[in-house]
Short mmCIF file of all heavy atoms in Angstrom, two decimals:
data_model
loop_
_atom_site.label_atom_id
_atom_site.label_comp_id
_atom_site.label_asym_id
_atom_site.label_seq_id
_atom_site.Cartn_x
_atom_site.Cartn_y
_atom_site.Cartn_z
N LEU S 4 -93.15 27.40 72.31
CA LEU S 4 -93.62 26.09 71.90
C LEU S 4 -92.84 24.98 72.62
O LEU S 4 -93.40 24.08 73.13
CB LEU S 4 -93.42 25.98 70.35
CG LEU S 4 -94.09 24.78 69.70
CD1 LEU S 4 -95.57 24.81 69.71
CD2 LEU S 4 -93.56 24.58 68.31
N LEU S 9 -92.25 20.75 76.75
CA LEU S 9 -91.46 20.24 77.86
C LEU S 9 -92.37 20.24 79.14
O LEU S 9 -92.42 19.26 79.91
CB LEU S 9 -90.24 21.04 78.12
CG LEU S 9 -89.11 20.85 77.08
CD1 LEU S 9 -87.99 21.85 77.35
CD2 LEU S 9 -88.57 19.45 77.17
N VAL S 11 -95.64 20.19 79.45
CA VAL S 11 -96.85 19.20 79.40
C VAL S 11 -96.24 17.79 79.57
O VAL S 11 -96.73 17.01 80.32
CB VAL S 11 -97.50 19.43 78.01
CG1 VAL S 11 -98.51 18.21 77.80
CG2 VAL S 11 -98.22 20.73 77.92
N GLY S 17 -94.91 13.10 85.34
CA GLY S 17 -95.03 13.16 86.85
C GLY S 17 -96.42 12.50 87.23
O GLY S 17 -96.43 11.79 88.28
N PHE S 21 -97.67 8.09 89.39
CA PHE S 21 -98.65 7.60 90.37
C PHE S 21 -99.67 6.68 89.82
O PHE S 21 -100.54 6.12 90.49
CB PHE S 21 -99.27 8.70 91.14
CG PHE S 21 -98.30 9.52 91.88
CD1 PHE S 21 -97.75 10.70 91.31
CD2 PHE S 21 -97.83 9.12 93.15
CE1 PHE S 21 -96.84 11.48 91.97
CE2 PHE S 21 -96.86 9.85 93.78
CZ PHE S 21 -96.36 11.00 93.29
N ALA S 27 -90.13 -0.19 87.46
CA ALA S 27 -89.17 0.32 86.46
C ALA S 27 -89.83 1.37 85.64
O ALA S 27 -89.12 2.48 85.49
CB ALA S 27 -88.71 -0.74 85.58
N GLY S 42 -84.52 20.55 80.59
CA GLY S 42 -84.72 21.32 79.37
C GLY S 42 -85.31 22.59 79.62
O GLY S 42 -84.86 23.71 79.04
N ILE S 66 -79.57 4.36 89.55
CA ILE S 66 -79.14 3.68 90.79
C ILE S 66 -80.37 3.43 91.68
O ILE S 66 -80.51 2.47 92.35
CB ILE S 66 -78.11 4.62 91.57
CG1 ILE S 66 -76.85 4.66 90.65
CG2 ILE S 66 -77.71 3.95 92.88
CD1 ILE S 66 -76.09 3.46 90.38
N ALA S 103 -98.39 26.85 97.21
CA ALA S 103 -97.45 27.68 97.91
C ALA S 103 -96.34 28.14 96.99
O ALA S 103 -95.98 29.30 96.90
CB ALA S 103 -96.94 26.96 99.11
N ARG S 116 -83.64 43.31 86.48
CA ARG S 116 -82.42 43.25 85.80
C ARG S 116 -81.99 44.74 85.45
O ARG S 116 -82.82 45.54 85.00
CB ARG S 116 -82.58 42.45 84.50
CG ARG S 116 -81.35 42.47 83.58
CD ARG S 116 -81.48 41.43 82.53
NE ARG S 116 -81.42 40.13 83.06
CZ ARG S 116 -82.05 39.08 82.52
NH1 ARG S 116 -82.81 39.22 81.49
NH2 ARG S 116 -81.97 37.91 83.05
N PRO S 117 -80.65 45.02 85.69
CA PRO S 117 -80.27 46.42 85.55
C PRO S 117 -80.31 46.99 84.06
O PRO S 117 -79.40 47.62 83.72
CB PRO S 117 -78.83 46.49 86.10
CG PRO S 117 -78.48 45.05 86.43
CD PRO S 117 -79.69 44.17 86.21
N GLY S 119 -81.48 46.18 79.92
CA GLY S 119 -80.86 45.56 78.74
C GLY S 119 -80.63 44.07 78.70
O GLY S 119 -81.46 43.31 79.24
N GLU S 120 -79.41 43.71 78.17
CA GLU S 120 -79.25 42.27 77.91
C GLU S 120 -79.09 41.47 79.10
O GLU S 120 -78.64 41.91 80.18
CB GLU S 120 -77.86 42.25 77.02
CG GLU S 120 -78.01 42.69 75.70
CD GLU S 120 -78.85 41.90 74.77
OE1 GLU S 120 -78.42 40.74 74.55
OE2 GLU S 120 -79.98 42.28 74.44
N ALA S 132 -71.19 33.02 92.25
CA ALA S 132 -72.10 33.09 93.43
C ALA S 132 -71.89 31.92 94.44
O ALA S 132 -71.88 32.14 95.60
CB ALA S 132 -73.51 32.93 92.86
N VAL S 147 -69.86 17.95 105.34
CA VAL S 147 -70.94 17.22 105.90
C VAL S 147 -71.32 16.05 105.00
O VAL S 147 -71.57 14.92 105.44
CB VAL S 147 -72.23 18.09 106.10
CG1 VAL S 147 -73.49 17.24 106.42
CG2 VAL S 147 -71.93 19.16 107.18
N MET S 152 -71.10 10.19 103.83
CA MET S 152 -70.73 9.06 103.06
C MET S 152 -69.79 8.10 103.76
O MET S 152 -69.99 6.92 103.68
CB MET S 152 -70.06 9.52 101.65
CG MET S 152 -71.10 10.09 100.70
SD MET S 152 -70.33 10.43 99.11
CE MET S 152 -69.73 12.00 99.33
N VAL S 153 -68.70 8.59 104.39
CA VAL S 153 -67.80 7.75 105.09
C VAL S 153 -68.52 7.03 106.16
O VAL S 153 -68.31 5.82 106.34
CB VAL S 153 -66.66 8.63 105.68
CG1 VAL S 153 -65.71 7.81 106.58
CG2 VAL S 153 -65.81 9.19 104.54
N ALA S 181 -62.61 -12.27 97.36
CA ALA S 181 -62.42 -12.44 95.95
C ALA S 181 -61.13 -11.86 95.47
O ALA S 181 -60.88 -10.76 95.94
CB ALA S 181 -63.66 -11.89 95.20
N ALA S 182 -60.42 -12.55 94.74
CA ALA S 182 -59.17 -11.94 94.18
C ALA S 182 -59.41 -10.83 93.20
O ALA S 182 -60.50 -10.88 92.54
CB ALA S 182 -58.29 -13.10 93.64
N GLY S 184 -58.64 -6.69 91.56
CA GLY S 184 -58.32 -5.32 91.88
C GLY S 184 -56.99 -5.03 92.24
O GLY S 184 -56.06 -5.62 91.63
#
Side-chain angles (χ1 to χ4, degrees):
Chain S
L4 189 70
L9 288 173
V11 170
F21 297 98
I66 298 296
R116 178 169 289 150
E120 288 291 294
V147 170
M152 281 191 273
V153 171

